[in-house]
Amino acid sequence: MKRNILYAICLIGTFIGMTSCHDLNLNPLSNGSTENWYSTAKEIEMAVNAMYSSTYWRPEGDNQTDWSDDAVYRESLTEFENATITSENWIVSLYWRTNFQMVSYSNSVINKYRRAINNGANEAEVMAFVGEAKFFRGVAYGRLLTRFGDVPYLTSEINIDEGLNMARTPKDEVLRHVYADLDSAALLLPVSYSGNQRATKGAALAMKARIALYLGDYATAAQASKAVMDLGVYDLEPSYRKLFLQSTKSSKEFIFILPRSISMNIDVLNSTTVKNKMVRNAGGWSAVDPSWDLLAAYTCTDGLPIDESPLFDSHNPFKNRDPRCSETLVPFGESFLGYVYSPSPADTEVLNTKTGKMGYNNDTRINKQYASFNGLVWKKGIDESWMDNGYTAENPLIVMRYADVLLMYAEAKIELNQIDQTVVDAMNTVRARAYGVDKAAITSYPAFSILPQKDMRKQLRMERRMELAGENLRFADLMRWHLSEVVMKKKQYGMLYPATDCLTKVVNTGNWFWPVTPDIDDNGCPDFTKMEATGLIQVLSQRQWDDRQYLWPIPAKEKQINDKITQNPGY
């Protein structure tokens, strides 16, 4: 992304300072601006650029986990995982506030852009910025609908008294406006920018598809995702591994990304975030780790789940697995960030591949108590460059990429029970890339074929999980599939502890890594019950679930100042 976009984001603080009434702590619908702002194309651009900040694109979840069954934070559980989330929860409040801030900024641009045109600004240039504002407003309201249901809706500026009496607008009505905004954005935005990556026609259509899919409007999701595919401008990055590294600043697979910059100190992944995911031998903490559920979810190279495939070996769980497994998680015995990775309590020393010498192994709990509690660590998006610059990183935040669009199209068609060759082709395009072959080479990878809806649904859900792991999308999938009530009641597991017990009872008896193979259910989710019964693994924590959490609570502050806003059930 060009430095001028990054530089413009640096001006966000200045812009927000000039429009301080956009602070939605008092009321998310109050708005204000200077009388003279929006009078030039540059001012319109600055207003739009403010919404490219990651402040407004914060993933659901927190700094510990992504609130799904893909990640664990040692033995800890969040309020969401404990089913104790309340209207005081800071993430819920932040999500409400930042999305309504995006609405407020967008409304200001949409309602005042004529000032610039009347002052002689280039109309085509200004209208592209208006398209971006409609894109942002549509996205913000779409996200609010998926988490809160009915929400207050407005497109004009109102005073505080009016804002204090705003009731919630029915979800279906708001959704019609969301679609209209994104359709308008798609008409106003270009297909691409030369050397730049702002919101485009494809981004608007892709976000429309995502919102429609999340809200169960499969016909619209299929239509919008197909429209993205028909643009003919996107393709998959040949290397799954390369796609997520911080050295990859642009790709034909990127549909909408947000830039980060270490040199300009813009939205960087800070040292806490970096170290939480990195192995301890390389200076990290390995505190936020992939779950055993995720490891079990990858199919084998014959395309079968691990409980059906003769290729799976519970004692060597990375062998014969979908290639994305070893690109997302660090396989045992592989050199990573300069060290051979092994969490086994038998390996008190490991090879330093830079020096060629054996050294103290910080990645096993028999040496370091706070090494990964379940033996798994992240690999996706991480390389040795994460050790530079004081353990900060600038991997772009990928909001939307083409593989997701292909899988959204396939899912929507499956749910409509319109399963045809286009569905299989979309899924095979994604899977074939993982195996490094063209989708036409169906004997070179476990290709999909047309099956009954129930079977296709299971395969699609497993494929989404494998392809998109660690990208903060699993939470939304569980919520919209109503699988949270299943998986978020399950226990989280790790290696037997104390580590001396793991050594004597698991490793020395030939039961490392897993003593038995977990069962996989119809949704592609593992069941570790029979493994737990062996007494050879450790329960780290017990998740809880309450169906009320399918909708988040309206933040307490909003209820306190506006008694016209009703609360969601159960809060």
Side-chain angles (χ1 to χ4, degrees):
M1 185 167 290
K2 286 184 177 179
R3 288 177 62 89
N4 66 332
I5 300 298
L6 292 169
Y7 178 74
I9 293 175
C10 289
L11 299 177
I12 292 172
T14 303
F15 176 73
I16 292 176
M18 296 173 65
T19 58
S20 59
C21 291
H22 283 299
D23 186 347
L24 305 184
N25 286 318
L26 173 62
N27 188 298
L29 306 173
S30 62
N31 195 354
S33 68
T34 64
E35 290 298 321
N36 297 321
W37 197 254
Y38 308 102
S39 296
T40 68
K42 190 63 179 178
E43 290 174 354
I44 299 287
E45 181 183 13
M46 288 177 64
V48 170
N49 283 339
M51 292 177 279
Y52 283 94
S53 169
S54 63
T55 299
Y56 305 105
W57 298 87
R58 191 183 188 283
E60 294 158 316
D62 55 29
N63 294 327
Q64 295 182 351
T65 73
D66 61 354
W67 287 8
S68 84
D69 57 345
D70 274 0
V72 297
Y73 184 84
R74 294 174 178 157
E75 297 171 312
S76 299
L77 292 175
T78 64
E79 287 183 64
F80 183 82
E81 294 166 319
N82 267 322
T84 57
I85 198 169
T86 71
S87 59
E88 300 282 354
N89 181 273
W90 71 274
I91 293 175
V92 169
S93 297
L94 181 65
Y95 201 78
W96 175 278
R97 184 176 70 251
T98 55
N99 278 290
F100 271 116
Q101 282 177 337
M102 187 180 285
V103 169
S104 180
Y105 293 145
S106 299
N107 284 343
S108 292
V109 172
I110 293 167
N111 292 327
K112 298 176 180 178
Y113 74 89
R114 283 285 172 192
R115 291 182 184 178
I117 293 176
N118 292 339
N119 283 341
N122 182 286
E123 184 169 356
E125 181 182 7
V126 170
M127 292 310 297
F129 294 138
V130 173
E132 290 180 69
K134 291 191 174 185
F135 167 79
F136 290 124
R137 185 172 68 183
V139 168
Y141 266 122
R143 293 188 302 199
L144 288 165
L145 291 178
T146 61
R147 294 295 152 251
F148 298 101
D150 300 347
V151 293
Y153 182 79
L154 79 163
T155 58
S156 61
E157 296 179 26
I158 60 175
N159 61 40
I160 290 179
D161 289 337
E162 291 171 321
L164 292 175
N165 289 284
M166 287 288 294
R168 299 167 71 177
T169 306
K171 181 173 69 173
D172 289 346
E173 181 180 338
V174 179
L175 183 58
R176 288 195 296 272
H177 293 301
V178 168
Y179 289 163
D181 270 345
L182 294 173
D183 286 341
S184 179
L187 291 173
L188 291 169
L189 294 173
V191 173
S192 63
Y193 288 90
S194 177
N196 217 337
Q197 296 190 47
R198 302 180 72 92
T200 60
K201 178 187 292 288
L205 293 170
M207 293 305 296
K208 180 182 180 183
R210 175 177 286 175
I211 292 165
L213 193 71
Y214 284 8
L215 295 174
D217 182 359
Y218 300 117
T220 299
Q223 181 184 42
S225 53
K226 184 63 164 57
V228 178
M229 296 158 64
D230 289 344
L231 289 176
V233 297
Y234 302 109
D235 200 357
L236 299 187
E237 181 72 33
S239 169
Y240 185 79
R241 166 73 173 156
K242 178 184 176 184
L243 180 64
F244 306 101
L245 298 179
Q246 66 174 321
S247 58
T248 303
K249 304 302 183 187
S250 63
S251 170
K252 289 191 72 175
E253 187 163 347
F254 292 158
I255 296 177
F256 187 69
I257 67 170
L258 299 179
R260 293 187 171 105
S261 172
I262 293 174
S263 64
M264 301 180 71
N265 193 30
I266 296 174
D267 294 338
V268 297
L269 296 172
N270 62 34
S271 61
T272 297
T273 301
V274 167
K275 288 189 174 184
N276 267 336
K277 297 183 73 172
M278 281 183 59
V279 294
R280 297 179 72 88
N281 277 327
W285 301 328
S286 58
V288 178
D289 300 312
S291 65
W292 279 12
D293 300 73
L294 178 58
L295 174 60
Y298 288 89
T299 57
C300 290
T301 51
D302 56 8
L304 296 174
I306 59 175
D307 63 339
E308 298 178 24
S309 175
L311 301 177
F312 182 68
D313 180 359
S314 63
H315 305 313
N316 190 0
F318 289 92
K319 183 180 179 182
N320 299 322
R321 305 296 296 280
D322 183 289
R324 288 166 293 192
C325 182
S326 294
E327 296 293 355
T328 304
L329 291 67
V330 180
F332 305 151
E334 179 179 285
S335 177
F336 184 63
L337 304 184
Y339 299 86
V340 170
Y341 179 71
S342 176
S344 171
D347 294 333
T348 56
E349 291 189 330
V350 291
L351 179 67
N352 181 324
T353 55
K354 293 182 178 179
T355 65
K357 297 180 180 180
M358 299 294 288
Y360 191 76
N361 184 8
N362 293 291
D363 286 314
T364 175
R365 296 196 74 191
I366 205 164
N367 285 346
K368 294 291 184 179
Q369 177 183 354
Y370 290 101
S372 173
F373 280 28
N374 66 7
L376 305 181
V377 289
W378 291 105
K379 179 180 180 181
K380 189 173 183 177
I382 303 172
D383 63 7
E384 292 196 19
S385 67
W386 273 37
M387 301 160 66
D388 303 329
N389 302 302
Y391 288 91
T392 58
E394 58 181 18
N395 305 57
L397 173 57
I398 305 172
V399 177
M400 181 70 71
R401 60 186 179 92
Y402 189 51
D404 193 1
V405 170
L406 293 172
L407 295 178
M408 287 194 293
Y409 171 77
E411 181 180 348
K413 296 283 282 185
I414 289 169
E415 294 303 323
L416 291 167
N417 206 14
Q418 298 174 358
I419 302 169
D420 57 20
Q421 191 60 41
T422 65
V423 173
V424 172
D425 285 346
M427 295 172 67
N428 279 338
T429 298
V430 175
R431 176 165 285 186
R433 187 267 297 275
Y435 283 81
V437 298
D438 185 87
K439 75 173 187 293
I442 58 174
T443 60
S444 301
Y445 69 102
F448 295 102
S449 58
I450 295 176
L451 296 172
Q453 184 186 42
K454 180 180 178 181
D455 298 320
M456 293 297 293
R457 179 183 291 124
K458 177 179 180 179
Q459 291 190 349
L460 182 281
R461 291 182 177 185
M462 294 186 74
E463 189 68 17
R464 271 192 71 84
R465 191 173 193 181
M466 292 189 290
E467 175 67 23
L468 302 170
E471 297 181 48
N472 296 294
L473 295 171
R474 176 69 174 170
F475 171 82
D477 287 349
L478 293 177
M479 295 287 275
R480 64 194 177 83
W481 293 334
H482 272 242
L483 284 183
S484 292
E485 63 203 58
V486 177
V487 303
M488 298 309 289
K489 289 181 178 178
K490 292 185 176 183
K491 299 173 182 176
Q492 301 201 81
Y493 296 95
M495 300 176 296
L496 200 62
Y497 195 79
T500 51
D501 286 351
C502 186
L503 179 62
T504 58
K505 297 179 180 180
V506 180
V507 178
N508 291 347
T509 60
N511 284 301
W512 177 265
F513 175 64
W514 283 339
V516 294
T517 300
D519 295 322
I520 307 296
D521 68 17
D522 287 342
N523 293 298
C525 300
D527 183 350
F528 290 93
T529 303
K530 67 181 182 182
M531 194 183 299
E532 182 185 349
T534 67
L536 299 178
I537 64 174
Q538 188 89 11
V539 175
L540 299 180
S541 57
Q542 171 69 64
R543 290 190 178 104
Q544 305 293 332
W545 175 255
D546 190 316
D547 281 350
R548 69 192 176 109
Q549 292 189 158
Y550 278 123
L551 282 181
W552 288 359
I554 303 300
K557 288 184 178 180
E558 303 307 322
K559 285 286 297 169
Q560 290 167 3
I561 63 175
N562 183 359
D563 58 11
K564 294 293 181 66
I565 294 185
T566 57
Q567 184 57 275
N568 280 326
Y571 296 102

